Amino acid sequence: MIEFRMPSLGADMEDGTLVEWLVKPGAAVKRGDIIAQVDTQKGLIDIEIFEEGVVKELLVGEGEKVPVGKTLAVLDSTEHRVGIKASPLAKRMAAEKDIDLALVTGTGEGGAITKEDVEKAAAAVISAKIEKTAQVDEKKEATELLETSSARHNIRQAIASAMSKSNREIPHYYLETKIDLTRSLAWLTETNRERTVKNRLLPVVLLIRAVALALKKVPELNAWYENGLVKKEEINIGFVVSLRGGGVMIPAIRDAGGKSLDELMTALNDMIPRARAMKLRSSELVNTTITITSLGEGQVELVYGVIYPPQVALVGFGAILEQPWAENGMLNVRKTVSVTLAADHRATDGMTGSRFLTELNSLLQTPGSL
Amino acid sequence: MKEEEIRQLVCQLLKQVAPDSEPEKLAEDDIIRDVLGIDSFDALQFLMALDERTGVDIPEEDYGKISTLAKVVEYVGRKIIRFPEDHHPCRF
Amino acid sequence: MANENNTISITYREAIKQALRDALRADERVFLMGEDVGRYGGAFAVSKGLLEEFGPDRIMDTPLSESGFVGAGIGAAIAGMRPVVEVMTVNFSLLAMDQIVNNAATLLHMSGGQVNVPVVIRMNSGLGRQLAAQHSHSWESFYAHIPGLKVLSAGTHEDARGMLLAALKEPDPVVIFEYTAMLNLEGKIPAGAGIVEIQKAAIRREGKDISIITYGPGVYKSLEAANELAKLGIDAEVVDLRVLRPLDESCFLQSVRKTHRALVVEEAWRSVSISAEISSRIMEQAFYELDAPVHRLCGVEVPMPYPKHLEDISVPQAGDIVNMIKKILQHD
C-alpha cells in the first residue's frame, strides 16, 4: 500500500489546495504520471506520483486545503522491480548465475541489460569473491568489491533513488549555528607542529570526533527511522567523499564513538582513497547511523543536506572561514565553521537538534578534551 | 637531486593523489590546489608521499610557501639534504 | 571460365539457362512453357537459344493468359509430364493464383493422395530496372502461406543453377522465385555445379555477433554488409533461408542460439511477411536466447516507384543493413 501525500514543493510550503484530481479510484498509475493539480503560493502545480500502483481511494476532496505531508490518496502497489529492462537471455543468465539485475547497468538498446552486461557483472562478483576470500582471515566481515564504470553509474542511480526517497518520505527540519573554531584550530596547529606529516591531523577529524561525542549525549540522532525511532548503540558515522568524476561515496567510520583522534585520522587515510577508487567493503556502506558532509575548502558557508534513509540526521559543515565575531561586547575576526543539522521530524524535534548543536559547540571549545 | 627531477617527482605524486588530473600541464605559477581540484585530504596525502620520497617534512606553517609548482620545487630543492638510496626517483 | 580453384564465373541468368538445358536434356517429360519463352528468348532472355536447341514442342510460347497456361501446366503434370511453367513476374502470377492455390496445392489432399501435381512454376520477383509498380514486387509470402506448395528462393548463383533440377524431382508443386535484379550479376560456382538439395536453409557466412536471416537479393546484400561490418570488428552470420516453405527453422534457430541476436532482411513489404514469420518463430522457440529484440529490414510499404533513386531506397541496401546492425549492437 502506498500513501500519496501532499508533497512539499519547497521549504517554504506549508499547505496546498487540491484543485483537481486527474485520476479516479481504480486507475493504474506509474512513476511520472500527473495525478492531481494543487494550488500553492507558487501557482497551480501539476503533482506527479513517484510510484507505480492502482489508485485505491482518494482521501481529500477537490477544493480542500491540506498541510504538506497529509495523505491525499492510497494506492495499491504493483511495483515489482519495475524498470529493469533486460534481454530474455540476460535474464536467464542472471538467474543461472544468481546475479541481481537491479545492480547491473544495461548497455544495450535503450539501456537494456544484455548478455555482456551480465557477464561483466558476474566477473565482478567473482573478483569480489576472490577479494573476500583473501581478506577473510584479516577481517572477519563480508567484503564486496565495487568496480568498473558501471559501478559509478550504479552509484548515481543509488544516490538518485536514496535522495528521492529521502525527499519524498522524510520531513526534514534544519537547524544551523556558527561555531568559533579559534581554540580548536590553535590546538590543532600546536599538536601538528610536534607531529611528522604522517601523523598530522586535519581539522575535519576534530569535527568528526566532536560529532561522535555529541551523539553520546544526544543519542536520538544516532538512529534509524523504521516505523518509529530506533536508537543505535554503535556510532557509525558516514563520511561523504566526493568522487572526482561526480557522485559521492559515503563510507562509514565504524564505532566512531570509540575512536581517538588518531584512530579517526587513520580510518580516513585508509577509507578516502578506497572510496575514490570505489573499492569499499559492504560493511562500510551499511549500518551507517548518521552522516557527516564537510565542504572543506572553498567559500561555501552552509550546506543543507538530504538525510540518507533510514538515518534520521545529517550534519553539514561549511568551509572554515574568517568571520566577524561578536563576543562579550567586542567585535573580532574569528575562524568559524557553520554547522547545519538536517534531521527527520518524524524521529526528533527541533529541541533535540538544538541540544546536539549546543553540545557540539561546547566540545569544539575545549579541544583538549576531544 | 636536480630541479627537473623534483618537478617530475612532484607531478608524479600529484597524479597519484588525483589520478584524473593533469599535473604535467600545470603552469609554474598555477595555484596547484585550485587548478587540480585538490582538497585538504589530498594535499595531506601528497605531503606524506613527498616526505616518504624526499625526506622533506613540510610543517603546516609552510603550507603557504608551496602553493605553486615553482614554489614546491624551490622549497623542496632547498630543504632536501640527501636522497635516500632506497627511494631513488630513477627507479619508478 | 575455369580457374585454379575449379570454379567458374557465371551470370545468374546463365545459371538458370544451364539448369533449364540440363533439365530438358535429362528428362524427355520436361518442357518449358510461358510468355515469350520461345521465339523472343524469354522476357529476361533466360531461355534464349533453347527453342532452336529443343524445338517448339518443348519450348512453348503461350498466350497472355496466366490462368490458362499455368492451368495447362498443372494438367500436364497430372497427366505425367514434368512441365516448367515460367510466369514472367510475380505480379502477373496473381492471375494464375487460383490455379496454383486451388488446384496445384490442393489436389493431392482432395484426391486422398491419388493425384500428385509435379509442376514447377518459376517466376521473377522483386524490382528489376525501373519496371515500376506492376512488375517489381516481392510476393514470396503469398505462396509461402499455402500448404501443399514448396516455395524456393534462389538467392545465389549456385541455387539458380541447381534448384530447378531438384524441384523437378519433387512429386508435388514447387514455386521457384528468381530475381530480376540479379540476372546480370556475376558469381562464382563450382565448375561441376548442378543439382542442390532443397530442404534446408544455408549458412552463407559464419559469424558470432548477430544472425542476418534473409533470402533472395537479401543474401548478397547481407554478405556485402557482413564484409563491411567485419572491418568494424562485428562478426555477422548470414543465413539464406532458400526454402520459404516449409521453413527450415532449425537452421536459423540454431544460428540465433549462437549469436543471440537476429536481423531479418527482405525486400518484401513488412506487414504479414516472411520476416514476420521468422521473427515469430524466434520468439516462440528461442526467446530465452535473445539478447536483443529481433529486428527487421523490409521494403517500404508503397507500390514500387518508377524513378531509380526512389526504387533504390524502397528496399534495404547493404548500407542499411550495416547501419541497423551497428545500432542493434550499440556500436559507436
Side-chain angles (χ1 to χ4, degrees), chain A residues 94-111:
Chain A
E96 286 166 3
K97 294 174 191 287
D98 205 17
I99 300 278
D100 183 358
L101 284 175
L103 305 174
V104 179
T105 305
T107 63
E109 275 181 289

Side-chain angles (χ1 to χ4, degrees), chain A residues 152 188-190 192-193 195-203 244-245 265 268-270 272-273 276 296-297, chain B residues 17-21 33 36-42 44-45 47-48 51-52 56-61 63:
Chain A
R152 195 179 283 273
L188 197 65
T189 306
E190 268 317 300
N192 275 344
R193 204 191 302 280
R195 288 161 178 260
T196 63
V197 64
K198 273 193 206 75
N199 299 314
R200 241 167 252 168
L201 302 175
L202 287 171
R244 292 180 172 276
M265 190 65 212
L268 286 186
N269 278 335
D270 167 51
I272 294 178
R276 294 229 163 109
E297 291 74 24
Chain B
V17 168
D20 303 341
S21 70
R33 286 172 75 145
L36 301 187
I38 282 177
D39 63 17
S40 57
F41 181 81
D42 294 331
L44 188 59
Q45 299 290 311
L47 293 173
M48 281 160 69
D51 172 35
E52 197 169 299
V56 176
D57 183 340
I58 304 174
E60 268 189 342
E61 59 262 32
Y63 284 2

